[in-house]
């Protein structure tokens, strides 16, 4: 998009609500309490025939120090600097507050184009607040209601000249495309090469304060996401599109996921739901562990969730720069990984330092390797030759004295690899035998770590006469008809 609009204003004036309306989807978390949004979120907006990029920002705070609010303000000011225009949102029901006057002065200095909008302006209760907006000296306020969609025509009239001017200049800037709109119409097609139009989708997940945002910033090479020592800073699943070592990827930075019993706050529940959605539609999930306390119970649950969703999984241990005896620690980590997550046996385990950037090359290689295995397809002929060898080595059980027969095997899908085996009495086949075949597939076809779906279907005797009734010969029917019992 050639034109970029940043929505700014105090906390809880309706910025995220307006953002969702402009992009046409509920991408940003919305709640009544102030300060829900903390990171910058970009999306492709549509307003009539106008097409532009819109940025949802954190609420402007008066803090200027290195506190969380101060860092949020710096990130918002950065969005103001990179945008072509700013939409300054005022709560019409609350009126113009002293903080609004301070921020109006800041916008007047930092942005060439500022559009003043009075939100929550439905009804007569907001008339006084709309009139107060004129005192800010930013021109006539646009009266809108982001929640109800009122005033969008007036907003269109204010934006149209700026968008048309930007298109006329034909600015060719390679701005990163960032949103959380995940492609949810993926079909099970086979391997594909990631492209800019359809990049490889990676979700970075883990417990709070594991360093997820810092890791994504290290991959980007800039402080794009809000970070800090506080746990639980990230709330939205923010995604960024970039070329990671010549590979087009969309990386999702997700909120930290705590134990379900500890999640009481409504906003945190929304954040976890957003993170779960990112896992569901990602292709590769990077489970980031805190190197100071790896493989906690919650880490195992998150990794197991990614496996059950059928995603390719890479386990990354962060804060490796703080370790002293690294060889012994790495050996212990691999042993713990094999013991705690047998369903992901063979999945890549890499050590990284998001703070220093070390290990990012290994992480990229592990992600691409896991993605390749996730897309692997095996021919039916190879599978059936392999199945014959497995049956000879370890035949299926014989419940009730009748041995279960496995007649035929084929791969029906990829991403993750899915196989179907035609069998007699599949319901009597024990789970241990299914694990035997799954482990054999991993080892013999080099598919470590990736989820494997193995299904058994019933296939009885193919004798075509089994279900047909025997017919009495016509001559015998005539003879029976003439007997003493006939007709």
């Amino acid at each position: 998009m050639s034109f970029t609009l940043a929505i700014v204003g105090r906390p809880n004036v309706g910025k995220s609500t307006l953002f969702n309306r402009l992009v046409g989807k509920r991408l940003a978390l919305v709640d009544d309490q102030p300060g829900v949004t903390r990171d910058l979120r970009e999306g492709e907006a549509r307003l009539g025939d106008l097409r532009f990029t819109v940025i949802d920002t954190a609420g402007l705070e008066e803090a200027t120090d290195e506190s969380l609010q101060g860092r949020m303000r710096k990130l918002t000011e950065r969005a103001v600097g990179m945008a072509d225009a700013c939409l300054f949102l005022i709560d019409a029901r609350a009126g113009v507050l002293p903080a609004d006057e301070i921020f109006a002065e800041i916008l007047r200095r930092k942005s060439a184009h500022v559009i003043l909008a009075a939100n929550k302006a439905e009804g007569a209760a907001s008339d006084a607040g709309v009139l107060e907006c004129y005192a800010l000296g930013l021109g006539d306020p646009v009266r809108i209601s982001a929640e109800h969609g009122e005033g969008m025509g007036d907003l269109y009239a204010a934006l149209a000249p700026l968008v048309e001017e930007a298109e006329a200049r034909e600015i060719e800037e390679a701005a990163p495309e960032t949103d959380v709109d995940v492609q949810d119409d993926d079909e099970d097609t086979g391997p594909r090469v990631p492209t800019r139009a359809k990049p490889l989708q990676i979700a970075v997940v883990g417990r709070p304060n594991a360093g997820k945002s810092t890791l994504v910033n290290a991959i980007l090479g800039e402080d794009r996401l809000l970070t800090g020592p506080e746990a639980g800073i990230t709330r939205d699943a923010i995604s960024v599109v970039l070329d990671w070592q010549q590979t087009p990827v969309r990386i999702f930075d997700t909120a930290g996921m705590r134990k379900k019993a500890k999640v009481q706050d409504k906003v945190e529940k929304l954040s976890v739901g957003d993170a779960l959605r990112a896992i569901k539609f990602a292709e590769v999930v990077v489970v980031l562990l805190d190197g100071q306390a790896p493989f906690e119970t919650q880490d195992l649950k998150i990794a197991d969730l990614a496996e059950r969703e059928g995603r390719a999984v890479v386990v990354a241990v962060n804060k490796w720069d703080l370790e002293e005896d690294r060889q012994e620690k790495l050996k212990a980590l691999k042993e713990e990984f094999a013991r705690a997550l047998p369903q992901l046996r063979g999945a890549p385990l890499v050590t990284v330092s998001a703070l220093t950037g070390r290990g990012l090359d290994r992480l990229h290689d592990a992600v691409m390797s896991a993605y390749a295995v996730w897309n692997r397809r095996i021919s039916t002929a190879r599978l059936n030759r392999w199945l014959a060898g497995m049956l000879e080595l370890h035949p299926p059980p014989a419940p009730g004295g009748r041995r279960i027969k496995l007649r035929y095997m084929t791969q029906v899908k990829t991403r993750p690899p899915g196989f179907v085996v035609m069998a007699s009495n599949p319901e009597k086949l024990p789970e241990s035998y299914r694990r035997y075949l799954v482990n054999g597939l991993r080892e013999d076809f080099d598919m470590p770590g990736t989820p494997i779906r193995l299904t058994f279907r019933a296939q009885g005797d193919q004798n075509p006469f089994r279900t047909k009734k025997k017919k009495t010969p016509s001559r015998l029917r005539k003879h029976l008809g003439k007997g003493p019992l006939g007709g």
Side-chain angles (χ1 to χ4, degrees), residues 137-152:
L138 294 175
D140 296 341
V142 180
R143 187 167 182 161
I144 66 172
S145 172
E147 185 174 359
H148 301 287
E150 298 178 7
M152 293 298 108

Side-chain angles (χ1 to χ4, degrees), residues 255-483:
M257 291 184 282
R258 298 193 297 164
K259 294 181 180 179
K260 189 175 182 180
K262 294 184 178 181
V263 179
Q264 303 295 332
D265 184 63
K266 178 183 177 182
V267 175
E268 186 173 359
K269 291 181 180 179
L270 293 173
S271 301
V272 172
D274 215 18
L276 295 177
R277 180 174 178 266
I279 293 176
K280 184 177 181 180
F281 295 111
E283 294 171 304
V284 180
V285 174
V286 177
V287 181
L288 194 64
L289 310 182
D290 187 340
Q292 304 301 298
F295 292 112
E296 296 282 338
T297 302
Q298 186 65 4
D299 294 325
L300 304 181
K301 290 182 178 179
I302 294 172
D304 182 66
L305 172 64
E307 191 276 338
R308 285 188 283 110
E309 288 291 345
R311 306 302 97 183
V313 178
V314 174
V315 178
V317 182
N318 192 23
K319 305 179 183 178
W320 198 243
D321 55 305
L322 302 179
E323 294 296 332
E324 295 181 358
D325 193 355
R326 298 180 181 178
Q327 293 299 326
E328 288 297 325
K329 182 65 176 287
L330 182 59
K331 181 180 178 181
L333 286 174
K334 290 182 178 180
E335 293 176 354
E336 179 69 13
F337 183 28
R339 183 194 63 80
L341 292 169
Q343 68 273 33
L344 290 173
R345 188 176 63 177
L349 174 67
V350 296
T351 57
V352 298
S353 173
L355 193 60
T356 64
R358 296 187 62 180
L360 296 185
D361 293 342
R362 294 194 303 270
L363 180 60
H364 173 270
D365 295 342
V367 167
M368 298 309 298
S369 175
Y371 177 70
V373 173
W374 192 60
N375 280 281
R376 183 156 298 161
R377 180 173 291 279
I378 307 168
S379 68
T380 301
R382 289 183 62 197
L383 283 174
N384 283 281
R385 287 196 298 269
W386 171 84
L387 180 61
M390 296 293 285
L391 296 177
E392 183 177 353
L393 184 64
H394 183 52
R402 299 187 62 180
R403 188 169 301 280
I404 298 175
K405 297 180 181 180
L406 306 184
R407 294 188 171 89
Y408 179 78
M409 183 177 185
T410 185
Q411 183 173 359
V412 294
K413 66 185 290 291
T414 59
R415 314 174 65 188
F419 304 89
V420 170
V421 178
M422 308 306 293
S424 62
N425 300 320
E427 68 280 356
K428 297 182 179 180
L429 200 64
E431 178 65 20
S432 59
Y433 201 81
R434 190 195 71 84
R435 290 197 302 267
Y436 162 69
L437 294 179
V438 169
N439 291 334
L441 285 169
R442 291 191 193 281
E443 295 176 4
D444 297 335
F445 293 105
D446 191 23
M447 293 191 293
T450 194
I452 293 178
R453 303 294 185 251
L454 182 60
T455 306
F456 296 93
R457 293 181 183 172
Q459 185 183 41
D461 192 345
Q462 297 302 306
N463 184 352
F465 302 101
R466 175 176 289 274
T467 58
K468 292 185 178 181
K469 295 181 179 180
K470 294 183 179 180
K471 294 183 179 180
T472 306
S474 58
R475 288 180 297 173
L476 182 58
R477 287 201 303 270
K478 293 179 181 180
H479 176 72
L480 292 174
K482 294 178 181 180

Side-chain angles (χ1 to χ4, degrees), residues 35 55 68 114 442:
I55 306 176
L68 178 59
V114 179
R442 291 191 193 281

Side-chain angles (χ1 to χ4, degrees), residues 40 42 175-180 196 199-202 216-217 219-220 222 224-225 237-243 248-253:
L40 302 183
E42 298 181 14
E177 179 188 351
T178 310
D179 55 56
V180 292
R196 188 71 180 182
L200 171 61
Q201 307 211 59
I202 305 171
V216 176
N217 282 342
I219 295 174
L220 286 171
E222 59 176 334
R224 170 65 177 77
L225 302 172
I238 304 296
S239 73
V240 181
V241 172
L242 74 151
D243 288 334
V249 298
R250 175 184 276 124
I251 301 181
F252 291 83
D253 177 32

